[in-house]
Amino acid sequence: MASASSSSARHLFNESKKRLCARVGINVNNLGSVARQVVRASKSNEIMHQTLKNFTQVDVVSDYSNQNLQKMSLILQHVGYQYDVMQDSVNHLDYLKEQVTAMER
């Protein structure tokens, strides 16, 4: 009984598929290729969406990296200024040592 009912359902499904294809104007043999093309197009959209998402993330990371490089450049400039000030202080200390030695004589 179950096999007769599944056979009947299969026949009904095939008949429905043939009628649908006739209405749409697609040959039953081409239905598989049309379905594959639809799936490929769907996957292409997914791939394009993921690619765009990845590109956007890379663009954001690139902007952050650029900002960090600018900040590091500014820090390097300030460290250079501080080095110059310390160098002047060391030179000034040498001058003061000479003055103290001259006063002790």
Side-chain angles (χ1 to χ4, degrees):
M1 181 77 180
S3 68
S5 140
S6 66
S7 172
S8 167
R10 196 173 319 125
H11 178 69
L12 183 62
F13 175 73
N14 286 335
E15 190 64 34
S16 297
K17 189 166 79 171
K18 286 178 185 178
R19 274 192 250 135
L20 177 63
C21 290
R23 274 185 130 176
V24 174
I26 299 174
N27 188 346
V28 174
N29 296 330
N30 292 338
L31 185 61
S33 66
V34 169
R36 282 190 296 276
Q37 289 174 353
V38 168
V39 169
R40 283 185 198 142
S42 172
K43 287 182 181 177
S44 294
N45 279 341
E46 291 172 14
I47 291 169
M48 290 296 289
H49 178 70
Q50 187 63 36
T51 302
L52 182 60
K53 185 177 175 182
N54 290 344
F55 181 75
T56 304
Q57 289 173 348
V58 167
D59 191 40
V60 168
V61 169
S62 176
D63 285 343
Y64 285 144
S65 297
N66 185 31
Q67 290 173 3
N68 286 337
L69 282 174
Q70 289 175 351
K71 289 175 185 177
M72 285 192 280
S73 175
L74 189 62
I75 289 170
L76 181 64
Q77 188 178 12
H78 284 274
V79 168
Y81 293 150
Q82 291 172 356
Y83 174 79
D84 291 341
V85 168
M86 287 189 292
Q87 194 66 31
D88 288 343
S89 296
V90 168
N91 292 339
H92 191 66
L93 281 175
D94 288 340
Y95 174 72
L96 288 176
K97 281 183 186 177
E98 290 175 8
Q99 282 187 343
V100 169
T101 306
M103 292 169 103
E104 289 177 347
R105 291 185 211 160

